[in-house]
Amino acid sequence: MPLKLSDHDKIDWPWYVPVGSAVIPIAIGVEALLHRKALWPPRTETLLIFVALLPWILDAVDQAVPFRIGLPEWVFVPVVVAPTTILLFQPTDFDFLPFLFVFLAGEMGARLRPIASLVVAGTPSLVMIGFDVANLFEGSFIWVVGILFGWCAGLAMRQQMLLTTRMKAEQETLAEKSASEERQRIAREIHDVIAHSMSVTMLHITAARMALERDRSADALDALREAEQQGRNSLNEIRRTVGLLGPDEAATAPPMPTASDLPKLVADFRNAGLDVTMSTNGDLERVPAASGVNLYRIVQESLTNVAKHAPGAKATVDLQIDGRDIRLRVHNNNGNGSRAERSASGLGLKGMAGRAAIMGGSLDAGPSTDGWTVTLTAPT
């Protein structure tokens, strides 16, 4: 998207620009004093040239003091034009003093909006035209062209600095947006890991409770061991994911799940007591890593929701992969009829929809005739 420049954008000039800008007018002033033999001892011409150079000198000194001493533009221009005009009533051979007008036009072209700077550039131009009409300064027309050239150069410099300033602002905005998107991605990963961990753990704990109620202590111990192991694995995964937020640049990112890990994911839910089956058609290895992690998380979130909101339900995971598309369908029936309280945030469904969008596909989740169905269609 192209950057739009505004005349009202504030330009933050580097310190060396006003310092460097003072060097050229001072050199012009010294040259004019040498031609007039007024460098030493000081004369009226010396004072006039010093006054004409004063705005640039103050701008340079302004960079070294903590308070503002530079002249505003409406003072800057007449302070330069008035003494220079007085001196040009008595020009010298090969007089370089009109260069101050050229440099003034460039200075204002860089500092002011185009229309205002054009008016400023017109002021010394009118002075030189007046000298030409009165035959007081030979070659005035050439200096008018020079003044116009100086204004164009200053205007180009202003536009370049505006572009640089806006690009820096855009880069900062993009950096903040990138950081925000990365935080959201990590938050989604943590949400999915915690939701999956708690759901599977609760299934194991429920199995342990039911085993104890039936005096099957061995089965209860097995279920509790599985819950403990699942909890440890989930804590390790959460630590690795949260570690991405740390300052350690040498730390390696944790391996992300892929489509090939889906059978193990379904098996984990099945071992925890969820009645779930999975059927696949196609090569899971063909799914790209970026799509694989999102596909994995969508199935994970879908089965987690079955465990949370449809106790006792039977679930099926049907995954079809062909040369162009990935088609996923996760369906569960109504279970035993009980319902856990649903979260009002709906972060799980929003997260799945966001992952589907990242894959370049679409996701539909909602009630069906006998339960709940999640369908995903995305390109491979």
Side-chain angles (χ1 to χ4, degrees), residues 173-186 245:
T173 301
L174 287 174
E176 293 176 359
K177 182 180 179 181
S178 177
S180 175
E181 290 176 349
E182 181 64 11
R183 287 193 296 268
Q184 292 177 6
R185 186 190 69 81
I186 294 175
L245 297 172

Side-chain angles (χ1 to χ4, degrees), residues 281-287 321:
N281 182 13
D283 186 5
L284 296 179
E285 298 288 345
R286 294 180 56 189
V287 180
I321 302 172

Side-chain angles (χ1 to χ4, degrees), residues 77-95:
V77 175
V79 169
V80 174
V81 172
T84 304
T85 302
I86 293 173
L87 287 169
L88 288 177
F89 273 103
Q90 294 181 340
T92 64
D93 293 337
F94 305 107
D95 201 339

